């Protein structure tokens, strides 16, 4: 007979038959798919933001701009040259660039129009400097002292300070995304718990029979665990595929804006290793939840 | 030579002792389902390994309740219940499956798993015991032939007649060759010929050493088993208050030694 052709497959089939509806059924796989879709989107947003933050910090770290306000253009240029020379001599300073007057005019033109090209406008001189990453606070103080000695009216401003509000926003959004992921996983666990309780109640008669034949709690719980794992696997895979599609589409749109800030937030390659771990974790969570839920229910019976 | 003989003697006495040993013991057992009067009161008796016992009594006397205690579906409210020499009242529930696997049960209401075929229902105890499919197919086929359901292997319980369902229930109870077989009205839905055939099945099992306990109203059936003993329940009490067993009329009492293993 076909039943004994392949004992292992027959045994698996027999186990699956013990509870009705061996295949994906009911709302649970679909609810899990929706949860996974949202969770993966939130996680992707969080990872993208984290990556953006990291890039931003890397780009801004050690960068400062020296501002020199001096009405007389000739004096201003001379002072700028002196400052640049002095700073280049400091060991902590990696690079010094006097921002050309023309570049400044380009930036001001949208506001000032043709006046930006005028030589009489008191435009400050800007000198971009990069400090070596290993520079100490003492080295920074040295830079300040050097600047003050040449021209007390100079101001030095770290780039990181300009973008601090943006960074704070990104950081908040990142933590929000992490919170969402955590909440979604809790909700997924709750859904599985409700489903397992329902399944246990619906199959009460069969479970009683199995029990009276000497089935252990572990044996009975394993039936539910296997069923739940299948449902969660289906939901997780569906959620992952749809979320991946949405993420790639969104990535394209984001890149198309061409904005530097939105361009910062993009999903790094390693994120595609992390994101599939979420449905895998969800499957494990679902199995564990189903098992503990059913075992706790079983422990109330004799 | 002598040592071999000694061993043989020891084995003989060991086997005899185990055959005569008490397998089921009730001591002042009471059962109360809820508030109100006890459903079973002061039940005391001992059953010997390999015995064949009938339990009779009017409807509502408490036969099913007593059997439920026996197959560990219910714990007694008071008293001592020993199975295989162990007190099962205080037993931790994690140890119950081990006991239940040694007890085959024919439920009064059959309790077949509705979505499983005849084959799968009968195979259930073997699967629960963890047997591989290759060790299941043969005995299940054989058992289906025995109860006359060889051609209904794939039928669901709902498509079987009452008598057929009962036979599936019996096949399921005996397939694991349990140490104790408990049957609640196992011949209630079959014709006399089939009843005789099923009793024959129980007898065959009994000859292999299984202790049989059958609740039934069918007095003529009882008289067909020569060595069977009978207990009568009335309103939740065993009629013979001394706790010794009554014998069906017309049969000489068998000795009731109560050796303890
Ligand atoms: N689960 C239960 N909860 C409350 N009362 C119960 C329960 N089961 C049985 N009873 C009561 O216990 C008494 C004995 O019932 P039981 O089923 O043991 O009788 P029985 O001798 O098997 O009867 P029958 O021959 O009709 O099967 C009855 O009065 C019944 O109402
Ligand atoms: Mg009854």
């Amino acid at each position: 007979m076909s039943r004994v052709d392949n004992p292992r497959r027959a045994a698996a089939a027999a186990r699956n038959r013990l509870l009705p509806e061996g295949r994906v059924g009911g709302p649970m796989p679909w609810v899990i798919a929706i949860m996974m879709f949202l969770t993966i989107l939130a996680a992707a947003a969080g990872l993208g933001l984290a990556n953006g933050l990291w890039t931003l910090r890397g780009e801004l770290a050690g960068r400062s701009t020296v501002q020199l306000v001096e009405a007389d253009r000739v004096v201003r240029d001379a002072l700028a040259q002196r400052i640049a020379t002095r700073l280049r001599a400091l060991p902590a300073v990696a690079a010094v660039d006097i921002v050309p007057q023309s570049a400044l005019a380009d930036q001001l033109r949208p506001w000032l129009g043709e006046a930006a090209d005028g030589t009489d406008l008191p435009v400050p001189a800007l000198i971009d400097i990069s400090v070596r990453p290993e520079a100490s606070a003492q080295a920074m103080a040295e830079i300040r002292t050097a600047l003050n000695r040449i021209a007390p009216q100079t101001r030095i401003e770290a780039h990181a300070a300009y973008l601090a509000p943006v960074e704070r926003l990104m950081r908040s959004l990142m933590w929000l995304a992490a919170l969402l992921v955590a909440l979604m996983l809790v909700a997924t666990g709750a859904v599985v718990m409700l489903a397992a309780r329902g399944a246990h109640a619906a199959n009460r008669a069969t479970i009683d029979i199995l029990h009276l034949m000497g089935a252990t709690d572990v044996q009975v719980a394993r039936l539910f665990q296997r069923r739940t794992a299948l449902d969660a696997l289906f939901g997780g895979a569906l959620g992952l595929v749809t979320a991946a599609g949405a993420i790639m589409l969104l990535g394209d749109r984001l890149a198309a804006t061409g904005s530097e800030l939105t361009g910062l937030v993009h999903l790094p390659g390693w994120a595609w290793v992390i994101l599939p771990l979420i449905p895998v974790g969800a499957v494990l969570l679902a199995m564990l939840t189903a098992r503990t839920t059913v075992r706790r229910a079983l422990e109330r019976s004799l | 030579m002598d040592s071999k003989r000694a061993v043989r003697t020891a084995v003989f006495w060991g086997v005899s002792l185990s055959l005569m040993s008490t397998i089921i013991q009730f001591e002042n057992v009471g059962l109360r389902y809820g508030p109100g009067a006890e459903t079973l009161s002061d039940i005391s008796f001992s059953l010997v390994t390999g015995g064949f016992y009938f339990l009779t009594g009017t409807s509502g006397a408490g036969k099913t309740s007593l059997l439920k205690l026996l197959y560990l579906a219910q714990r007694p409210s008071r008293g001592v219940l020993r199975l295989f020499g162990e007190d099962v009242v205080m037993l931790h529930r994690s140890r119950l499956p081990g006991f239940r696997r040694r007890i085959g049960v024919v439920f009064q209401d059959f309790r077949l798993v509705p979505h499983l075929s005849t084959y799968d229902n009968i195979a259930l105890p073997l699967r629960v015991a963890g047997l591989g499919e290759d060790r299941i197919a043969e005995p299940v086929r054989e058992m289906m032939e025995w109860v006359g359901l060889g051609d209904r292997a794939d039928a669901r319980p709902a498509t079987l007649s009452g008598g057929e369902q009962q036979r599936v229930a019996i096949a399921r109870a005996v397939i694991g060759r349990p140490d104790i077989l408990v049957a609640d009205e196992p011949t209630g839905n079959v014709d006399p010929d089939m009843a005789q055939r099923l009793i024959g099945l129980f007898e065959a099992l009994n000859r292999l050493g299984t202790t049989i306990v059958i609740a039934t109203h069918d007095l003529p059936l009882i008289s067909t088993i020569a060595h069977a003993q009978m207990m009568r329940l009335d309103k939740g009490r065993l009629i013979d208050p001394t706790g010794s067993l009554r014998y069906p009329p017309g049969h000489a009492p068998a000795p009731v030694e109560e050796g303890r293993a």
Side-chain angles (χ1 to χ4, degrees):
Chain A
M1 288 250 79
S2 62
R3 276 180 215 280
V4 287
D5 282 350
N6 184 340
R8 187 169 291 172
R9 187 180 300 168
R15 269 198 311 270
N16 291 337
R17 278 198 301 273
L18 283 180
L19 295 178
E21 287 181 59
R23 303 151 308 281
V24 170
M28 197 178 66
W30 304 103
V31 174
I32 289 184
I34 295 171
M35 300 289 230
M36 281 300 104
F37 175 73
L38 296 175
T39 311
I40 293 166
L41 280 192
L47 289 175
L49 284 164
N51 183 55
L53 261 178
W54 203 66
T55 320
L56 194 64
R57 275 197 206 140
E59 279 177 7
L60 298 183
R63 298 274 189 97
S64 304
T65 300
V66 176
Q67 270 183 51
L68 171 64
V69 181
E70 169 58 58
D72 187 328
R73 189 179 170 178
V74 178
V75 175
R76 184 168 71 216
D77 285 350
L79 275 177
Q81 282 303 334
R82 268 185 66 199
I83 287 171
T85 314
R86 176 74 189 95
L87 288 182
R88 275 193 194 105
L90 291 176
V93 177
V96 178
D97 277 309
I98 300 176
V99 181
Q101 210 67 40
S102 59
L104 281 175
D106 283 347
Q107 282 187 3
L108 291 174
R109 194 168 297 113
W111 284 281
L112 302 180
E114 293 306 309
D117 297 327
T119 50
D120 48 342
L121 205 69
V123 184
L126 298 182
I127 304 158
D128 281 343
I129 59 173
S130 317
V131 179
R132 289 186 205 286
E134 67 274 10
S136 62
Q138 200 195 331
M140 291 307 293
E142 221 171 285
I143 292 172
R144 258 176 244 285
T145 327
L147 287 173
N148 274 336
R149 219 170 274 156
I150 299 168
Q153 72 272 40
T154 52
R155 281 206 338 209
I156 180 163
E157 201 128 18
H159 287 188
Y162 290 124
L163 284 174
V166 175
E167 198 190 313
R168 272 201 294 275
L169 175 68
M170 285 171 75
R171 203 189 318 230
S172 305
L173 288 174
M174 190 185 79
W175 285 116
L176 185 65
L179 183 69
L180 280 179
V181 170
L183 287 177
M184 291 288 188
L185 288 179
V186 170
T188 305
V191 166
V192 171
M193 198 171 90
L194 288 176
R197 271 195 203 155
H200 175 260
N203 292 294
R204 192 61 205 253
T206 303
I207 292 167
D208 280 348
I209 295 167
L210 289 174
H211 251 170
L212 288 176
M213 290 185 174
T216 61
D217 289 357
V218 175
Q219 277 179 310
V220 175
R222 207 177 281 150
L223 296 175
F224 288 90
Q225 200 179 311
R226 187 176 295 117
R227 170 73 43 82
T228 311
L230 284 178
D231 285 1
L233 208 60
F234 170 85
L238 188 62
L240 181 65
V241 168
T242 45
I247 290 166
M248 285 195 266
L249 189 75
L250 221 63
D252 280 353
R253 297 278 149 90
L254 217 56
T257 61
S259 154
E260 266 181 54
L261 257 184
T262 52
L264 267 180
V265 182
H266 82 274
L267 213 50
W270 50 263
W272 291 107
V273 179
I274 297 199
L275 291 181
L277 292 181
I278 294 174
V280 170
V283 169
L284 294 178
L285 174 78
M287 283 171 70
L288 193 72
T289 310
R291 184 161 75 182
T292 43
T293 306
V294 171
R295 286 196 67 172
R296 214 169 281 159
L298 290 176
E299 268 157 26
R300 281 193 289 272
S301 67
L302 180 63
Chain B
M1 268 302 174
D2 259 355
S3 68
K4 253 189 191 164
R5 196 175 160 155
V7 167
R8 227 177 284 142
T9 313
V11 166
F12 172 78
W13 283 111
V15 169
S16 310
L17 258 177
S18 80
L19 280 178
M20 281 300 151
S21 69
T22 302
I23 191 167
I24 298 165
Q25 188 176 22
F26 280 60
E27 268 176 33
N28 289 313
V29 167
L31 174 66
R32 193 191 298 275
Y33 280 113
E38 280 187 326
T39 298
L40 294 174
S41 295
D42 304 324
I43 306 287
S44 298
F45 63 86
S46 297
L47 306 186
V48 163
T49 305
F52 202 121
Y53 302 93
F54 285 107
L55 179 63
T56 64
T58 51
S59 180
K63 301 184 294 297
T64 299
S65 300
L66 195 151
L67 295 187
K68 272 187 189 167
L69 295 177
L70 202 48
Y71 58 71
L72 302 172
Q74 195 89 49
R75 284 194 203 258
S77 321
R78 63 185 173 90
V80 177
L81 168 50
R82 285 199 190 89
L83 293 182
F84 313 110
E86 260 197 272
D87 185 346
V88 292
V89 179
M90 302 306 285
L91 209 63
H92 189 266
R93 60 183 297 284
S94 66
R95 288 201 52 210
L96 291 177
F99 281 79
R100 286 174 175 146
R101 285 181 193 189
R102 301 175 67 182
I103 305 171
V105 189
V106 183
F107 302 97
Q108 191 167 13
D109 50 357
F110 316 145
R111 300 228 202 157
L112 302 179
V113 180
H115 61 271
L116 291 186
S117 66
T118 297
Y119 180 99
D120 286 329
N121 262 294
I122 295 176
L124 213 50
L126 303 183
R127 288 191 174 133
V128 165
L131 257 60
E133 293 300 307
D134 49 335
R135 289 172 60 198
I136 286 176
E138 197 51 41
V140 173
R141 298 257 156 227
E142 206 171 291
M143 193 53 70
M144 283 194 300
E145 292 303 330
W146 238 103
V147 296
L149 291 172
D151 53 345
R152 306 301 310 269
D154 296 319
R156 300 282 138 112
T159 67
L160 296 174
S161 75
E164 287 169 332
Q165 290 182 38
Q166 191 151 36
R167 283 181 271 154
V168 176
I170 290 171
R172 185 180 67 180
V174 303
I175 192 154
R177 282 227 207 144
D179 293 327
I180 300 175
L181 181 96
V182 179
D184 202 348
E185 299 282 358
T187 56
N189 289 278
V190 295
D191 56 71
D193 278 354
M194 182 49 80
Q196 210 51 59
R197 195 175 158 77
L198 294 178
I199 281 294
L201 187 61
F202 293 144
E203 270 192 290
L205 199 63
N206 183 233
R207 274 195 294 274
L208 293 172
T210 297
T211 308
I212 313 272
V213 183
I214 300 176
T216 184
H217 289 116
D218 192 346
L219 293 175
L221 191 75
I222 296 176
S223 59
T224 62
I225 309 283
H227 59 286
Q229 294 178 292
M230 187 172 80
M231 294 183 278
R232 280 175 61 88
L233 265 177
D234 185 41
K235 297 195 186 90
R237 286 171 187 274
L238 275 183
I239 288 204
D240 186 348
T242 63
S244 65
L245 296 167
R246 298 181 147 251
Y247 305 102
H251 290 282
V256 271
E257 285 102 323
E258 281 185 14
R260 293 287 282 279

